[in-house]
Amino acid sequence: MRIYSLCASENTCGETLLRMSAALRAQLFLCLISLLSGTGLTRYIEDNEASDGLYSLISLAQKRESEDFIFRRPLRCLDMLATEGYFTFVASRPQLACAAFIIAEPSEVISLELSDVSIDCSAGDFIKIFDGWVLKGEKFPSSNDHPLLPHERYTDYCSSAASSVSGQSSQNVAMIFFRIHSPESGFTLAVNKVHNPFPCNIMSQSPEGSFTMVMPHQRRNCSFSIIYPVEIQLTDLSLGDAKSNEISPLRQKWPGCSGTGDYVELLGGNGVDTSKMFPVADLCFSLSGLAQMKIGCDNSVVRLVSSGNYINRVTFQYRLLDQNEIPKTRENSLENFCSVE
């Protein structure tokens, strides 16, 4: 079974590591290696220094409790950031395919600012901020669900006349791509988190939890993505347009809910683009009770589709499936789409 996690090594996102169970910590070293194996970035991962480790993370977590502490550390060519602070990259050799993934709490968006930049754009160097994540060539959020056009999601330092470049994400994840040829060249990235009163398009940091998505009179699609095989329980659903009264499991096409304009669907797949995922179930009626589904995929998604005419709300819980709970695949079945290797 392949289970995705969210950290490349123990010292790259201490807050996320300290919240996770001991069993899940064992999965952390496979995190970005498994997610990015198809991009060619993994060959640039540097070895951890001897001083790195869990005890240094605990020390840093204690320091962060002080209000006047400003977190600073070097940025790696392939990195995961889950805390606010200043992260400085200085190339020791040509680094031609680097990326840093930033994640916040579901109710936060991310503000990024580049400063002290010393790169040569004319020689092919670049730094680009992306509103979302790109994994295995797929974008999260999907282009169908993001409020900006695909090209508008990029902020290119080399295309800006300013000495510093900033951007703010539309959801709780963002990333930067960069390429630097000359040693000693680099930049500093400032990461800050901003409260988001109506979270939309969320990447979960944890395989277990609960959440409520609310869409108040906006024509928008919102996804809650969990990069684990999980059991999802819908405990409350309020939709403005109730025209159906049944759950439709494992349908390749569903003519009912998609025509209502307001509905919730459960998706499963092995990527992060919801438009390429398999519809496991959909609901287009208000619900107060319990509806649950086990999704044995690498990625499980709750997606709220809103027409903008109503205030829609969905509340759900989710938990990681044990190995023996993952649904068995059947030959020549649509479920093979979600087989877990």
Side-chain angles (χ1 to χ4, degrees), residues 27 43 55 116 157 255 339:
Q27 303 290 338
R43 66 182 181 273
Y55 291 107
D116 300 326
Y157 172 82
S339 61

Side-chain angles (χ1 to χ4, degrees), residues 68-103:
D68 58 354
F69 177 74
I70 300 176
F71 184 57
R72 299 177 184 269
R73 74 159 172 85
L75 184 70
R76 297 176 182 238
C77 177
L78 181 61
D79 216 334
M80 167 65 75
L81 310 178
T83 187
E84 295 181 312
Y86 292 85
F87 304 88
T88 300
F89 182 83
V90 179
S92 59
R93 55 185 173 83
Q95 299 282 13
L96 305 183
C98 297
F101 294 78
I102 304 100
I103 188 167

Side-chain angles (χ1 to χ4, degrees), residues 298-313:
D298 290 339
N299 192 12
S300 309
V301 170
V302 178
R303 184 169 180 260
L304 175 63
V305 177
S306 297
S307 65
N309 298 322
Y310 311 97
I311 298 176
N312 293 327
R313 183 184 71 252

Side-chain angles (χ1 to χ4, degrees), residues 271-292:
V272 296
D273 188 333
T274 54
S275 67
K276 299 178 181 179
M277 297 177 72
F278 178 71
V280 177
D282 57 1
L283 298 93
C284 42
F285 64 96
S286 295
L287 167 75
S288 180
L290 183 65
Q292 65 185 45

Side-chain angles (χ1 to χ4, degrees), residues 6-194:
L6 289 174
C7 300
S9 63
E10 286 185 341
N11 67 323
T12 56
C13 56
E15 289 184 348
T16 301
L17 174 63
L18 294 174
R19 285 197 299 267
M20 289 184 175
S21 68
L24 286 176
R25 288 174 191 165
Q27 303 290 338
L28 295 180
F29 294 101
L30 301 178
C31 161
L32 291 180
I33 295 175
S34 62
L35 285 175
L36 300 172
S37 58
T39 68
L41 291 176
T42 52
R43 66 182 181 273
Y44 294 100
I45 298 177
E46 300 176 6
D47 294 335
N48 293 332
E49 297 180 359
S51 61
D52 295 337
L54 182 58
Y55 291 107
S56 62
L57 286 175
I58 294 174
S59 176
L60 287 173
Q62 291 172 341
K63 288 180 181 178
R64 292 186 196 122
E65 293 178 0
S66 172
E67 291 184 358
D68 58 354
F69 177 74
I70 300 176
F71 184 57
R72 299 177 184 269
R73 74 159 172 85
L75 184 70
R76 297 176 182 238
C77 177
L78 181 61
D79 216 334
M80 167 65 75
L81 310 178
T83 187
E84 295 181 312
Y86 292 85
F87 304 88
T88 300
F89 182 83
V90 179
S92 59
R93 55 185 173 83
Q95 299 282 13
L96 305 183
C98 297
F101 294 78
I102 304 100
I103 188 167
E105 295 297 326
S107 60
E108 296 174 327
V109 293
I110 301 164
S111 175
L112 301 176
E113 183 175 3
L114 295 169
S115 61
D116 300 326
V117 180
S118 59
I119 65 172
D120 187 352
C121 296
S122 63
D125 293 355
F126 66 78
I127 308 172
K128 296 182 181 182
I129 298 173
F130 182 70
D131 187 359
W133 277 4
V134 179
L135 298 172
K136 295 183 178 180
E138 294 188 4
K139 294 181 176 65
F140 178 85
S142 163
S143 296
N144 293 340
D145 295 347
H146 201 279
L148 300 177
L149 295 175
H151 72 275
E152 295 175 328
R153 297 170 68 175
Y154 290 91
T155 301
D156 189 348
Y157 172 82
C158 289
S159 299
S160 173
S163 58
S164 64
V165 168
S166 61
Q168 182 168 297
S169 69
S170 305
Q171 61 288 311
N172 75 321
V173 292
M175 67 181 299
I176 63 168
F177 304 92
F178 55 99
R179 173 189 296 167
I180 298 178
H181 290 82
S182 301
E184 305 305 320
S185 297
F187 60 91
T188 294
L189 175 69
V191 177
N192 291 287
K193 300 176 183 179
V194 181

Side-chain angles (χ1 to χ4, degrees), residues 189-239:
L189 175 69
V191 177
N192 291 287
K193 300 176 183 179
V194 181
H195 178 67
N196 182 11
F198 295 106
C200 180
N201 295 325
I202 299 120
M203 184 73 73
S204 177
Q205 293 192 39
S206 169
E208 298 183 354
S210 60
F211 195 74
T212 298
M213 280 195 295
V214 180
M215 187 48 51
H217 294 290
Q218 292 184 27
R219 184 180 177 85
R220 191 175 181 189
N221 307 329
C222 292
S223 295
F224 190 97
S225 183
I226 312 158
I227 313 183
Y228 301 90
V230 296
E231 179 185 66
I232 296 176
Q233 297 182 343
L234 299 183
T235 57
D236 186 69
L237 176 60
S238 177
L239 297 172

